[in-house]
């Protein structure tokens, strides 16, 4: 497939992942050419994990995969948008629906969305932070 | 206001801007602390223009400002989400509603959203690309 035309100097561009139907922005992650090709080939979102420096099949540990319904590209061809069905209804490693659960209210960041499932139960270990 | 805790090495983090109501993702831009403070102070989206290397009041030339209804922060505190009312209904410098007007179809990027207004008419000059 053609493009994205502009991959960053590290070969990565951001990808916004939005839930079909609800329109909720679930995550922002990073992607390279290989991860985009895997996404297109499998129909499930693949990203590049900057912390683990490897290809990341979203939901590979949790089962909370993202079924990709559409892939869009922005005007500058350097940001992607995935429209997905979020299996399990949980995209965030904290056990919440969306990673964007903190809202600015009167100058403070307030957690406004509930934890739907304990990360320990999702990932089966103490440190949910490393898991996806 | 506290955070975002993690500003990039260049002092910038990405911000996803989503239209209240429609849920359309309009733009992804970059922001620094000053631009976030200006956004909070004025209620209109301010970003950092990486190409022009200056604070950017979105819509300053076109009049297509973004009235910010909510500001959210992600779990890693390194991506922001603005929920906005898009004045004029046009966020993209190409004269389209959203910057994400190209969709991947059968391996090709296809323009799927119409130009609502000629950029020359929006910006009053030949080169809409430099304008906002």
């Amino acid at each position: 497939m053609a493009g994205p035309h502009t991959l960053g100097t590290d070969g990565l561009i951001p990808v916004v992942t939005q839930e079909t139907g609800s329109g909720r922005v679930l995550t922002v992650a990073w992607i390279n050419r290989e991860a985009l090709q895997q996404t297109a080939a499998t129909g499930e979102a693949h990203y590049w994990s900057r912390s683990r420096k490897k290809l990341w099949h979203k939901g590979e540990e949790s089962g909370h995969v993202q079924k990709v319904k559409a892939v869009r590209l922005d005007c500058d061809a350097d940001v992607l948008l995935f429209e997905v069905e979020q299996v399990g209804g949980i995209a965030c490693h904290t056990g919440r629906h969306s990673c964007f659960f903190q809202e600015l209210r009167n100058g403070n960041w307030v957690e406004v969305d509930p934890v739907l499932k304990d990360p320990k139960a999702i990932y089966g270990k103490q440190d949910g932070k490393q898991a996806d």
Side-chain angles (χ1 to χ4, degrees), chain A:
Chain A
M1 83 198 81
H5 316 130
T6 312
L7 289 163
T9 51
D10 53 2
L12 300 174
I13 60 172
V15 52
V16 179
T17 301
Q18 178 176 38
E19 190 175 48
T20 304
S22 76
R24 267 306 287 278
V25 174
L26 300 175
T27 59
V28 170
W30 296 81
I31 198 164
N32 61 5
R33 206 169 288 277
E34 179 189 7
L36 178 56
Q37 286 167 342
Q38 280 295 103
T39 299
T42 64
E44 294 186 351
H46 287 67
Y47 305 110
W48 179 260
S49 170
R50 294 190 300 173
S51 58
R52 292 179 293 154
K53 296 183 175 56
K54 66 170 194 170
L55 188 70
W56 164 28
H57 178 199
K58 173 73 178 171
E60 61 195 7
E61 291 190 42
S62 63
H64 297 157
V65 298
Q66 297 174 326
K67 296 186 178 297
V68 178
K69 304 303 179 185
V71 177
R72 287 188 175 232
L73 180 66
D74 79 337
C75 52
D76 292 330
D78 58 7
V79 183
L80 287 174
L81 175 67
F82 286 175
E83 296 174 19
V84 306
E85 174 197 336
Q86 176 60 62
V87 172
I90 295 175
C92 185
H93 75 280
T94 65
R96 293 178 177 87
H97 183 205
S98 160
C99 291
F100 292 89
F101 59 83
Q102 300 169 89
E103 188 169 317
L104 189 60
R105 293 186 178 173
N106 299 319
N108 296 306
W109 297 103
V110 181
E111 295 186 2
V112 293
D113 296 337
V115 173
L116 301 176
K117 190 170 180 179
D118 185 336
K120 292 190 190 75
I122 297 175
Y123 300 106
K125 54 184 178 180
Q126 291 296 312
D127 183 10
K129 186 71 184 75
Q130 297 305 311
D132 305 298

